[in-house]
Amino acid sequence: MKNNMLDFKDYIVFFIYFVIVSGYGLYIYYKKKSATSDSKDYFLAEGSLTWWAIGASLIASNISAEQFIGMSGSGFKMGLAIAAYEWMAAITLIVVAVFFMPVYLKNKIFTMPQFLNQRYNGTVSMIMAIFWLMLYIGVNLMSILYLGAVAIAGISGLNTGLCIVLLSMFAIVITLGGMKVIGYTDVIQVFVLVIGGLVATYLAIDLIAEGKGIFHGFSSLQEGASEHFDMIFSKDNANYIELPGLSVLLGGMWIANLSYWGCNQYITQRALGASLPTARNGLLFAAFLKLLMPIIVVIPGIAVYYIIKKDIGAISPEQLLTSSGAQDPNKAYPALLTLLPVGLKGLSFAALTAAIVASLAGKANSIATIFTLDIYQKAIDAKASEKKLVNVGKLTVIIAMFLGTALALWVGDALMGEGKQGFQFIQEYSGLFTPGIFAMFLLGFFWKKTTSTSALFATIGGFAFAVFLKFLPELVDLSFLSAINFAVANAEGIYIIPFMDQMLFVFLFCVLGMFIISKIQHSKRAEEKGLEIDASMFKTNKTFAIGALIVVVVVTALYSIYW
């Protein structure tokens, strides 16, 4: 049997996982079937998710192929620094729980476009609803399907195209049950994800330890791949372009994380149907799980780097090569899984599939929610019955998944194959939209004078400025900016602005533009349209405060150790 093929026993383990998840999903669906005619219950599982279900669902939806494959690939290429996305996200979740979630729940916000309609106007809401649909289908669904299929094909030996189609079909089955089914099956998914991921990491470290224990193995990994254990890159590091020094602590990383965790239907949807204490506890639970994620999705990539560097022999460099001979970091994690013994390989295969399917289901449900409640109900059929809205949502899931599948088959290899880092692709292209979106939300939350015209400026102007900065190096020599660390030479010797710094510049541009436009309009007595906010909304209980403090202290300690 080929090394990259699963044994019959592995398929049995995977089949057991499939039956448990599908069976539990059916149980939840039929148990709550009387409620599925209500659109808010279908899309939001209103009031029925517990804090642990919310937290688990957040992580299960977030950790997908882009982390298992893309982030492990980035760990292989650049090391522990890529864990900044995970550890900074833990603190971001605390910020969202304290400041963002009370605003949403107090004002009965169920979708992000609804917030924009309530705070600004229908034009801003509709434009952003269309933007989000394009982003979710064209970047997220497509990338999750493609990267997931690459991983599964590498482990199982199946054709990548076939894996894309099978993943899409599995996700549709889970998604059609609604958010309640997604939320509770995600509890199983995240359990399998964590256990399977930890098993893969343990065996990789154990291999490096050569029988001397995992602590010795991790120490050997740190010593033998010390260049892969820097959290903050200096300017002369080849990976500075991807993670530009202190920007991960003080700059663009905050824009990316706050926009993703606080202004993203795909994520916030899990908590929007809950009470504030439940939502906050769910976000805090997710923050603790985030602290654990680099062990599962980054360390394996570094371990593969070490194994190849030291020529241990378990993994050959050829396993990471593409058909053209380029080294593909996305193949690091699948290469590691081929080392697992029979049975455990099936468990890790199930864990990877769980991560991919959970993320696909959550994304598809969010697409259906936005289209149904913010486009169909508002612009096409305002009098649609609850049952019709649910059916429209289900049809949207199928169409969205079909489009994502088609894109993954058509352009996935061109955009994320041949040695490219899939995780960085997602961050960079999402970063064209996120600064303007975050500026629009932030000022909309906390400054009543923010106008609808300024929000449109952030939406359209921010995107245009982001595209301009992206292609600016092709028009102008930016070497003069290198002296102040605003530009750095890439592999071709062209000076570019790191995309994380681009996000910060675009965000500041949007905030300044929104401030000026709003001030001009208010000088003409424009109407204020703020949300209902008071200081008491942001108070937290003692348990939450202690948990949040622990998260901050742990992240601070990690950065102190691996600076």
Side-chain angles (χ1 to χ4, degrees):
M1 181 173 288
K2 295 179 182 178
N3 192 39
N4 68 338
M5 296 291 285
L6 297 176
D7 186 87
F8 179 71
K9 293 177 183 177
D10 294 314
Y11 283 111
I12 292 177
V13 172
F14 178 80
F15 181 73
I16 291 171
Y17 148 75
F18 178 84
V19 170
I20 291 174
V21 171
S22 301
Y24 187 61
L26 284 171
Y27 167 75
I28 294 294
Y29 176 75
Y30 283 109
K31 183 180 178 182
K32 305 290 185 179
K33 190 174 182 180
S34 60
T36 58
S37 59
D38 182 282
S39 61
K40 285 188 174 62
D41 185 86
Y42 177 79
F43 293 116
L44 299 168
E46 193 169 15
S48 66
L49 294 184
T50 59
W51 63 267
W52 46 268
I54 290 171
S57 188
L58 280 167
I59 297 303
S61 298
N62 167 245
I63 301 297
S64 182
E66 62 205 72
Q67 269 78 19
F68 265 109
I69 307 308
M71 193 171 278
S72 288
S74 293
F76 174 86
K77 181 177 182 293
M78 66 177 70
L80 190 64
I82 197 66
Y85 280 100
E86 302 300 304
W87 288 336
M88 293 301 289
I91 297 179
T92 302
L93 280 161
I94 303 300
V95 175
V96 171
V98 175
F99 296 106
F100 286 39
M101 203 51 60
V103 178
Y104 289 138
L105 297 179
K106 179 77 171 180
N107 292 273
K108 294 181 170 55
I109 303 296
F110 298 113
T111 71
M112 298 300 97
Q114 180 202 341
F115 161 80
L116 297 176
N117 182 60
Q118 194 167 316
R119 176 59 184 84
Y120 297 115
N121 60 31
T123 302
V124 175
S125 174
M126 189 60 67
I127 289 174
M128 284 310 303
I130 295 170
F131 254 30
W132 268 309
L133 290 181
M134 292 170 58
L135 180 66
Y136 288 171
I137 296 173
V139 175
N140 298 108
L141 268 188
M142 183 267 289
S143 60
I144 295 168
L145 280 166
Y146 176 79
L147 292 174
V150 167
I152 289 176
I155 300 164
S156 67
L158 296 173
N159 176 270
T160 302
L162 176 61
C163 290
I164 290 173
V165 174
L166 292 176
L167 281 173
S168 178
M169 292 172 64
F170 190 2
I172 287 174
V173 171
I174 297 296
T175 312
L176 291 181
M179 180 52 73
K180 192 179 278 93
V181 172
I182 294 171
Y184 280 106
T185 54
D186 277 353
V187 175
I188 299 175
Q189 307 265 49
V190 82
F191 176 78
V192 175
L193 180 159
V194 170
I195 296 300
L198 287 175
V199 165
T201 301
Y202 168 80
L203 290 175
I205 300 299
D206 187 58
L207 176 67
I208 293 170
E210 298 179 335
K212 297 178 182 178
I214 59 170
F215 293 107
H216 176 81
F218 187 72
S219 177
S220 298
L221 181 63
Q222 286 183 288
E223 292 173 9
S226 58
E227 66 276 19
H228 270 44
F229 280 88
D230 294 326
M231 287 299 297
I232 303 294
F233 292 139
S234 59
K235 191 180 176 183
D236 59 356
N237 191 299
N239 297 307
Y240 183 87
I241 291 177
E242 309 289 356
L243 293 170
L246 290 176
S247 287
V248 299
L249 294 178
L250 305 174
M253 179 68 79
W254 281 105
I255 310 301
N257 268 324
L258 284 168
S259 179
Y260 179 85
W261 292 102
C263 313
N264 185 349
Q265 180 71 29
Y266 170 52
I267 293 300
T268 54
Q269 187 164 341
R270 272 113 187 101
L272 291 179
S275 66
L276 181 58
T278 301
R280 276 181 167 162
N281 289 338
L283 291 168
L284 180 61
F285 180 45
F288 276 102
L289 290 175
K290 269 308 210 183
L291 297 176
L292 182 68
M293 286 303 114
I295 299 174
I296 297 172
V297 298
V298 178
I299 296 300
I302 301 176
V304 174
Y305 168 82
Y306 176 93
I307 289 168
I308 291 177
K309 177 185 176 181
K310 297 296 184 180
D311 194 22
I312 292 177
I315 298 174
S316 68
E318 288 73 25
Q319 286 180 258
L320 272 66
L321 298 181
T322 65
S323 57
S324 64
Q327 189 180 64
D328 186 357
N330 292 329
K331 292 188 176 182
Y333 195 80
L336 176 63
L337 293 192
T338 61
L339 303 180
L340 301 183
V342 172
L344 287 179
K345 189 184 294 184
L347 177 63
S348 293
F349 184 51
L352 181 60
T353 306
I356 297 165
V357 171
S359 193
L360 286 171
K363 188 68 73 178
N365 184 266
S366 294
I367 290 169
T369 303
I370 289 176
F371 177 79
T372 305
L373 300 184
D374 296 299
I375 296 179
Y376 183 84
Q377 190 177 34
K378 284 185 171 60
I380 300 174
D381 188 357
K383 297 181 179 179
S385 66
E386 292 293 310
K387 184 177 181 180
K388 186 173 184 180
L389 290 175
V390 171
N391 288 334
V392 168
K394 291 179 178 180
L395 180 61
T396 304
V397 167
I398 296 171
I399 293 173
M401 204 65 74
F402 172 80
L403 292 174
T405 300
L407 286 170
L409 292 169
W410 182 35
V411 297
D413 196 56
L415 294 174
M416 289 171 286
E418 294 299 306
K420 300 180 179 68
Q421 293 185 68
F423 183 77
Q424 294 300 95
F425 161 81
I426 295 167
Q427 302 307 317
E428 186 168 353
Y429 281 90
S430 297
L432 297 176
F433 299 90
T434 51
I437 292 172
F438 181 56
M440 181 170 49
F441 271 75
L442 189 65
L443 269 67
F445 277 153
F446 303 114
W447 191 39
K448 289 187 176 183
K449 293 183 178 180
T450 311
T451 64
S452 301
T453 304
S454 70
L456 281 174
F457 167 79
T459 302
I460 301 171
F463 174 73
F465 188 52
V467 172
F468 170 74
L469 288 180
K470 181 174 177 60
F471 292 102
L472 183 61
E474 299 179 13
L475 306 173
V476 179
D477 180 7
L478 300 179
S479 58
F480 67 95
L481 293 176
S482 62
I484 52 176
N485 288 348
F486 281 179
V488 62
N490 62 14
E492 289 76 37
I494 300 172
Y495 280 85
I496 66 171
I497 302 172
F499 81 88
M500 195 168 287
D501 288 338
Q502 289 180 36
M503 284 196 292
L504 178 60
F505 298 152
V506 173
F507 171 73
L508 295 175
F509 169 79
C510 291
V511 169
L512 179 61
M514 290 180 72
F515 177 79
I516 293 171
I517 291 170
S518 297
K519 278 292 187 181
I520 291 173
Q521 289 191 299
H522 271 275
S523 67
K524 300 176 182 178
R525 297 183 180 179
E527 180 184 355
E528 290 188 3
K529 195 179 180 182
L531 297 170
E532 187 177 345
I533 295 178
D534 61 76
S536 64
M537 294 165 52
F538 307 117
K539 293 180 180 178
T540 63
N541 60 45
K542 186 179 293 186
T543 303
F544 178 89
I546 293 172
L549 180 62
I550 292 172
V551 169
V552 174
V553 169
V554 169
V555 172
T556 303
L558 288 167
Y559 268 92
S560 299
I561 294 169
Y562 295 110
W563 187 275

